[in-house]
Amino acid sequence: MEDELGELIHLADPPGTSGHVVSLRVLELPGPGRDCLDCEFVVETETVKGSFPVYVTSDDLDDWEEALEGLAGGRFVSWLNSGRTVQFKIKPLSPDVIGVSVHDGPSSQVTVSLPLFPATGWIDDQRARLAKVRRAFVS
């Protein structure tokens, strides 16, 4: 299913730089009787590679849309704050740099924080990814 749905979130440094990547891969659509997407956060740096399982609901998708609006306004955002799953934070550090943090509070207590230099238009790219996942979620 990942090939069809792709990634709800994909933030990456430009080619030829540090190669940091943070993504939220959609692994499976909700089955009968379920109302959440089976996903995983994937973090890749020069020294760290890890993944964190996540279940994303339609309410979480609404919250992600609100978070993207905050980011477009240059504000710090925190997403998936319920304590039931991994928490995701993005903080604008300068016009070209964001600080990204993934915290696995409910399980391992591991936090990975890293700077990213996303490409111009990265927020619009995230909005397009959200729209694609929403269309698949309601099909």
Side-chain angles (χ1 to χ4, degrees):
M1 190 64 63
E2 179 183 336
D3 292 339
E4 182 180 323
L5 295 175
E7 298 167 324
L8 172 59
I9 297 170
H10 183 85
L11 301 170
D13 285 336
T17 62
S18 68
H20 294 169
V21 177
V22 175
S23 61
L24 180 60
R25 295 179 183 160
V26 178
L27 303 175
E28 189 174 338
L29 287 172
R34 293 187 65 217
D35 65 347
C36 58
L37 298 166
D38 183 13
C39 303
E40 71 176 346
F41 269 108
V42 177
V43 178
E44 298 179 27
T45 74
E46 305 92 341
T47 57
V48 174
K49 290 185 188 224
S51 64
F52 306 91
V54 179
Y55 295 99
V56 175
T57 68
S58 60
D59 288 341
D60 293 332
L61 295 178
D62 293 343
D63 293 344
W64 179 234
E65 183 174 23
E66 287 179 32
L68 289 171
E69 290 304 314
L71 288 166
R75 294 186 301 275
F76 165 84
V77 299
S78 183
W79 182 54
L80 299 175
N81 298 317
S82 69
R84 69 171 164 77
T85 191
V86 173
Q87 185 179 38
F88 183 61
K89 297 178 182 181
I90 300 176
K91 180 179 182 179
L93 301 175
S94 73
D96 298 327
V97 183
I98 57 175
V100 177
S101 176
V102 178
H103 174 65
D104 182 24
S107 182
S108 67
Q109 296 294 310
V110 168
T111 300
V112 179
S113 298
L114 58 142
L116 284 167
F117 298 82
T120 302
W122 68 274
I123 294 174
D124 289 336
D125 178 55
Q126 302 317 300
R127 287 178 175 140
R129 291 170 182 279
L130 172 59
K132 178 182 176 184
V133 169
R134 275 198 165 138
R135 284 190 302 272
F137 193 91
V138 297
S139 310

